[in-house]
Amino acid sequence: MDDNEFRERSDIALTKVAKWLEDLDPDEVDYTTADGVVTIEFTGGAKFILSRQSQMKQMWLAAGSHGFHYSWDAVRGLWLDDKDGHELFPRLAEAISEQLGHPVEF
């Protein structure tokens, strides 16, 4: 994947996450966006960060004490973890659910 395609795919993913976060309870979860980054903040002070890593052509998720690196799988059309192959969006929903103490779905 070239740089332009990576930027386009990562922008789509970041926008999708930001739009999804809009539907969550703002008393529990707040978020901010910047170029290539979505920062998710919880009322208890915890912070998750989803960021574009252009040099690696990956999306990185820092969620609590866990870090995940996702690469674009063009065949499946998904961002997949480079260690165990799980998908980005369901894992983000799972991590937020764990932080909130109740389920949220992406």
Side-chain angles (χ1 to χ4, degrees):
M1 158 181 354
D2 67 24
D3 291 343
N4 289 333
E5 182 182 356
F6 171 74
R7 188 168 197 68
E8 181 180 318
R9 297 241 178 247
S10 61
D11 280 345
I12 290 168
L14 291 163
T15 299
K16 184 175 180 176
V17 168
K19 287 184 181 200
W20 173 70
L21 289 166
E22 288 178 7
D23 293 333
L24 298 182
D25 184 346
D27 290 333
E28 293 183 315
V29 181
D30 192 18
Y31 73 96
T32 56
T33 60
D35 185 37
V37 178
V38 175
T39 302
I40 305 164
E41 297 183 71
F42 300 90
T43 55
K47 187 183 293 188
F48 293 176
I49 299 173
L50 178 64
S51 61
R52 168 177 42 232
Q53 301 296 315
S54 297
Q55 287 186 321
M56 303 298 293
K57 291 192 172 58
Q58 291 184 323
M59 298 293 292
W60 288 6
L61 173 62
S65 62
H66 303 288
F68 305 97
H69 300 167
Y70 298 90
S71 297
W72 179 252
D73 183 317
V75 173
R76 296 178 58 194
L78 301 169
W79 289 98
L80 300 177
D81 181 73
D82 63 358
K83 290 184 183 168
D84 68 8
H86 70 264
E87 295 177 43
L88 169 60
F89 302 120
R91 180 61 190 125
L92 179 59
E94 182 181 321
I96 289 175
S97 295
E98 290 171 3
Q99 185 65 41
L100 295 177
H102 63 80
V104 296
E105 293 185 23
F106 200 97

